[in-house]
Every structure is written in structure tokens, then in C-alpha cells.
Amino acid sequence: MAAIFGWDTTRTLIMGVLNVTPDSFSDGGNFLDVNTAVQHAREMARAGADIIDIGGESTRPGATPVSAEEELRRVLPVVERLRDLVVSVDTTKSVVAEQALAAGARIVNDISALRFDPRMVDVVRDMGAGVVLMHMQGAPQTMQQSPRYDDVVAEVRSFLAERIALAVSQGLKKSQIAVDPGIGFGKTVEHNLQLLARLGEFGSLGCPVVVGTSRKSFLGKVLAATGARHASGADARLWGTAATVAWAVAQGARVVRVHDVAEMLDVVRMVEAIRQAR
Ligand code: HH2
């Protein structure tokens, strides 16, 4: 049986998104209050989320960076109240990761793949946490200005292979690591589509693949270009998300990071049922 962050499962795991930020692109401002955030996390868990991914800094293109103090102020009180759930902390700062892990989080979701903070690898190793290594070209402030690749799939794949090797050379076990192609992080619509189309090529990295397409802007752009009925509304992002989640699971994604947990759970379980019948 294949392992994800050290736990044995053949199921695809659902990572429910909880942004305790004022400015995240889809749920910004909704969960700044601790009680509201905790309640939403519990609703996602009841709806079927295996992991609750808590972020205190928006990574949307052009977002304002926040200090470690502010990120901790947003994230810690929520993590502390969810000790009974599996929590990942979406951060690039080692001090935030360290304190969140001490407060009960079990996974670090690092969109910089351990690059932005040299101490992050030590924290993950010393605290025995799981870690998601995600690809991003550039930094959130500038990443969408003119993303460029010769072969996006080959370049993202070789970046992730290097980051896995670095992490292992610093003492992490491969079983602690998952990888993520970073949909929307320094990528055009076409780059995102190519990464999804060839997602199966990431399987040979030997780590579970995480995919986050949920409600991202490329969905609306693709649908608008086809003249689809819901192209510019929230529905486009929901049904577009469903299509990409189904595709990603069929191509071997082991974890899907989503906002709409109940809906995407149905999508994931349906794809798994079809796969089992094969
Ligand atoms: N996407 C976002 C944030 N963190 N982490 C991983 N591993 N993969 C992703 O695709 C990913 C991520 C962006 O989405 P969201 O958290 O909804 O928005 P914001 O960054 O504005 O808070």
C-alpha cells in the first residue's frame, strides 16, 4: 500500500483550504475570526477533508507579504483548537512552521519548496513533519508577469527532483515528502493545462503528488475562451475545479487541495470507483 506523509492509504486525500487572511483570492476575509475559522475547519472535516490546510499569508499574484508575527497571530490560535484533526500549515517561514507544528500541525505546505527560508528543512526534519514541496517560478509578487519555460513539465519535474534530493540530503525521509507542480504559480493558462495533461509524468519522482486547482483563475479563462455559459461566474470555477480534480485523480494525484470539500469528495470517490473497476 502506498504511503502519504507516513500514513498507508490507497485513497486520494482531500486537503481542505482554510485561509485566515484578509486578501486570499477566493475566501479572503471570510475566516479571520478564530471561531469562524475553527467552525469552517470542522465543517470541512465533517464533509470529508482528511487534512485542513491553514494559511495566514495570501500567495495570490501581487499579494502583500506579511511578517512572521502577523502570520503567527492569524494561524496559531486556529491550529491550537484543531489538535484532533490533521492540519497542514501553508507557510514559507520556519518560525511559523515550527510554532504551528508545536501547536499540533503535522504537515508543512511550503510553496517555496524549502527555498525561501534556509532553516525550514531543519524544522521539518527535527519535528518529523510531513512536507509538501511545491514548484513556483519567481515569487508571488511578480510570478505572473511573464512566466516562461521551454518545456514546463520537464522543468517543473526536474526542479521537484532537485528539491527532493536536497531534502533527503539534509536528513528528511522520502516518506515525509509530497510534491506539487504549483498550478498558477508563475504559469500561463497553457502552462497549467500542460502540467495537468502530463501530470502522470510526476509519478516517477517517487513521492505522492498534490494538486491545487481549486477556483483558480485559469479555469474561468479557459471556459471564457470556449464561450461556456458560466464562464465568468463562480459556477465556472466550481465545475472547472470538478473537471480538473477528476482529471488529476485519474492521472494519479494522491492529494487534492480544494475549497469545496463536499462536492470534490463526490468527484474523487467516483473516479476511484471507476479506477477500481478497471
Ligand atoms: N495554491 C494556493 C496556496 N497554497 N499550496 C499548494 N501545495 N498547492 C497549491 O496549488 C496552492 C497552495 C493558492 O490558493 P489559495 O490558498 O486559495 O489562495 P491564496 O494564496 O490567495 O491564499
Side-chain angles (χ1 to χ4, degrees):
M1 202 177 267
I4 306 179
F5 304 123
W7 86 79
D8 284 340
T9 179
T10 50
R11 281 194 303 120
T12 308
L13 300 184
I14 311 273
M15 181 184 257
V17 180
L18 178 62
N19 287 313
V20 283
T21 61
D23 56 347
S24 288
F25 76 89
S26 105
D27 58 353
N30 291 355
F31 307 114
L32 272 176
D33 170 67
V34 176
N35 288 329
T36 315
V38 167
Q39 195 183 349
H40 184 60
R42 297 211 171 276
E43 274 162 22
M44 289 196 289
R46 268 195 301 278
D50 300 284
I51 302 167
I52 304 296
D53 188 43
I54 304 181
E57 176 174 44
S58 174
T59 54
R60 96 189 134 71
T64 323
V66 298
S67 66
E69 292 70 31
E70 176 61 16
E71 216 181 310
L72 280 165
R73 199 187 60 74
R74 293 175 184 176
V75 163
L76 264 196
V78 182
V79 175
E80 277 164 359
R81 287 187 40 197
L82 297 172
R83 283 178 182 275
D84 55 315
L85 302 181
V86 178
V87 166
S88 59
V89 59
D90 187 342
T91 188
T92 59
K93 299 185 185 75
S94 63
V95 62
V96 175
E98 190 170 36
Q99 294 199 34
L101 293 169
R106 299 192 216 168
I107 300 161
V108 179
N109 176 21
D110 184 351
I111 62 157
S112 82
L114 310 172
R115 288 180 300 137
F116 287 1
D117 185 334
R119 208 172 71 88
M120 186 67 105
V121 67
D122 304 328
V123 169
V124 172
R125 181 195 56 236
D126 295 348
M127 301 192 72
V131 65
V132 180
L133 304 178
M134 196 197 79
H135 175 273
M136 162 168 54
Q137 187 176 81
Q141 291 71 43
T142 52
M143 66 189 180
Q144 289 307 103
Q145 279 169 10
S146 56
R148 215 163 266 142
Y149 303 86
D150 289 327
D151 177 340
V152 66
V153 177
E155 287 170 49
V156 170
R157 195 187 171 288
S158 82
F159 168 87
L160 293 173
E162 275 169 33
R163 299 316 292 171
I164 294 169
L166 177 280
V168 169
S169 77
Q170 298 295 310
L172 264 70
K173 296 196 233 14
K174 220 170 163 184
S175 59
Q176 287 172 265
I177 303 170
V179 291
D180 184 331
I183 298 296
F185 285 84
K187 280 117 188 162
T188 62
V189 171
E190 186 53 34
H191 295 142
N192 291 326
L193 293 174
Q194 283 184 31
L195 286 164
L196 288 169
R198 294 169 56 193
L199 196 68
E201 295 180 31
F202 294 92
S204 56
L205 289 169
C207 292
V209 175
V210 180
V211 176
T213 55
S214 189
R215 299 184 187 172
K216 286 186 178 168
S217 63
F218 81 104
L219 302 167
K221 288 180 187 155
V222 169
L223 293 175
T226 67
R229 190 160 53 100
H230 291 306
S232 58
D235 280 356
R237 299 242 180 141
L238 181 64
W239 295 110
T241 299
T244 55
V245 165
W247 176 271
V249 175
Q251 303 304 309
R254 304 290 315 283
V255 182
V256 288
R257 182 182 181 278
V258 297
H259 300 82
D260 304 286
V261 170
E263 292 85 348
M264 296 313 138
L265 183 75
D266 286 353
V267 170
V268 167
R269 293 294 170 260
M270 200 64 225
V271 174
E272 288 176 337
I274 297 168
R275 185 164 51 206
Q276 273 160 28
R278 192 158 55 190

